[in-house]
Amino acid sequence: MKKVFYFIFTKSIGLYLNLLSFAFPEKANQLAFALFSQPRKGKLHPQQLPKTLAKATFKSITHKGENIATYLWEGNDTVILLVHGWESNSSRWKKTLPYLQATGSTIVALDAPAHGLSSGTEFSIPKYAEWINVLVQEYQPKYLIGHSFGGKTSLYYQSHYENHSIEKTVILGAPDEFKTILYNYTDLLSLKSSIIKGLEVKYANVFQKELDEFTGKHFASKIKTKGLIAHDIHDTIVLFDEGKKIATAWENAVFIETTGLGHALHDEALYHQVISFLFETK
């Protein structure tokens, strides 16, 4: 019943946008963009924080009139920055955190634009990367770990900002092609070709890059620092081949293939592999 309702709901939205585009094409394009760019979940309430985040030192950093929610777990001078994915927040690291803390490191996490306790209503990878850069300047992390869209944003950040304080980057379940995600959305809503074209133009302007070049493998090919990429064979959210494409393009990266962990990639053995990679332990 839920699947039927969801099908009817999504197709109804698509029908509305398609009809709207006949009389008001620009308005239809703007609404389609807003629906795709605004997360439907992942926000947090400051009075109802998950225990993991409640134990952290919270700090809101103001940047260009918006607030970046950050969480810090104090440790030594080695800093690890955590970057979560789409429709999530910093609490997604609750299972990973104890293993990272066991290394004695200081752990810093941020909520993406329009996620968690951060402000804003619209998400984009360039904006997220800009926020990462704010934290890199603030905390000078040595290691960067990103999951899903946070992983792709980490690749974008490393390829565009080339910050030398970050020595190693870990990418977990990250997508490669933005076009694939965009077209999945337009297919879901059965949007007409004029709206799809409008979205392509809009995102090319936002990214300041052609969509064919806005790929994880394109970003990874420019990164000189060491990387670790993990992707699960049975990931149904971001297909396994996406991770393989990124790994093929990243000259200085190690690829880990997992089985049965899905998109979340929560697993004690994988945590130890990540720590071994970061700290060069055997």
Side-chain angles (χ1 to χ4, degrees):
M1 182 61 71
K2 286 184 178 179
K3 289 183 178 180
V4 173
F5 176 79
Y6 183 70
F7 177 83
I8 295 173
F9 176 71
T10 54
K11 297 305 179 184
S12 297
I13 292 175
L15 178 62
Y16 171 74
L17 291 171
N18 288 335
L19 292 174
L20 183 66
S21 68
F22 286 108
F24 305 101
E26 184 57 32
K27 186 174 182 180
N29 287 338
Q30 289 176 353
L31 183 54
F33 176 80
L35 287 172
F36 186 60
S37 303
Q38 294 178 11
R40 294 159 294 178
K41 58 183 180 180
K43 293 295 286 184
L44 293 170
H45 192 285
Q47 304 305 320
Q48 298 176 331
L49 283 180
K51 290 181 180 179
T52 301
L53 301 185
K55 293 178 181 178
T57 299
F58 176 79
K59 182 179 180 181
S60 181
I61 299 175
T62 301
H63 177 68
K64 293 184 177 179
E66 294 191 291
N67 298 318
I68 307 172
T70 71
Y71 310 86
L72 182 144
W73 295 267
E74 195 88 41
N76 58 33
D77 291 339
T78 298
V79 180
I80 303 174
L81 178 59
L82 306 179
V83 185
H84 72 78
W86 171 251
E87 293 188 339
S88 183
N89 53 63
S90 293
S91 68
R92 77 89 48 202
W93 301 107
K94 66 180 179 180
K95 294 182 180 180
T96 316
L97 193 64
Y99 295 89
L100 296 178
Q101 288 180 298
T103 67
S105 304
T106 292
I107 316 298
V108 179
L110 79 157
D111 289 333
H115 292 74
L117 294 180
S118 289
S119 62
T121 58
E122 184 180 297
F123 172 91
S124 76
I125 285 177
K127 184 175 183 179
Y128 199 7
E130 186 176 339
W131 284 22
I132 290 173
N133 193 51
V134 172
L135 266 69
V136 169
Q137 301 305 317
E138 177 87 8
Y139 295 105
Q140 295 295 302
K142 189 174 183 179
Y143 306 130
L144 183 63
I145 303 177
H147 174 253
S148 193
F149 253 75
K152 183 164 183 175
T153 305
S154 298
L155 293 171
Y156 177 92
Y157 174 75
Q158 282 290 76
S159 66
H160 285 69
Y161 289 81
E162 298 182 349
N163 193 290
H164 299 296
S165 74
I166 297 175
E167 297 180 5
K168 296 180 181 179
T169 303
V170 176
I171 304 299
L172 307 170
D176 175 38
E177 297 276 353
F178 179 80
K179 271 190 170 182
T180 300
I181 300 168
L182 180 63
Y183 293 158
N184 285 343
Y185 164 73
T186 58
D187 287 346
L188 180 66
L189 271 60
S190 298
L191 296 179
K192 57 187 293 190
S193 59
S194 62
I195 298 178
I196 297 172
K197 182 62 178 177
L199 285 170
E200 290 175 343
V201 171
K202 176 67 173 177
Y203 271 105
N205 289 333
V206 170
F207 297 154
Q208 292 295 295
K209 188 182 291 290
E210 293 300 318
L211 296 191
D212 287 335
E213 295 182 357
F214 202 82
T215 64
K217 60 178 177 286
H218 180 76
F219 306 146
S221 67
K222 297 184 176 182
I223 300 174
K224 305 302 180 186
T225 52
K226 291 184 178 180
L228 181 147
I229 303 163
H231 214 110
D232 195 81
I233 293 175
H234 303 302
D235 189 337
T236 58
I237 306 299
V238 178
L239 298 183
F240 179 72
D241 284 347
E242 298 280 292
K244 287 288 290 183
K245 289 176 184 177
I246 295 171
T248 301
W250 194 344
E251 184 178 345
N252 206 12
V254 176
F255 184 73
I256 295 177
E257 174 185 305
T258 68
T259 304
L261 303 185
H263 187 57
L265 289 168
H266 289 305
D267 177 69
E268 183 176 7
L270 180 58
Y271 301 151
H272 285 303
Q273 286 177 295
V274 168
I275 290 168
S276 294
F277 165 74
L278 295 179
F279 295 92
E280 299 289 352
T281 58
K282 295 182 179 180

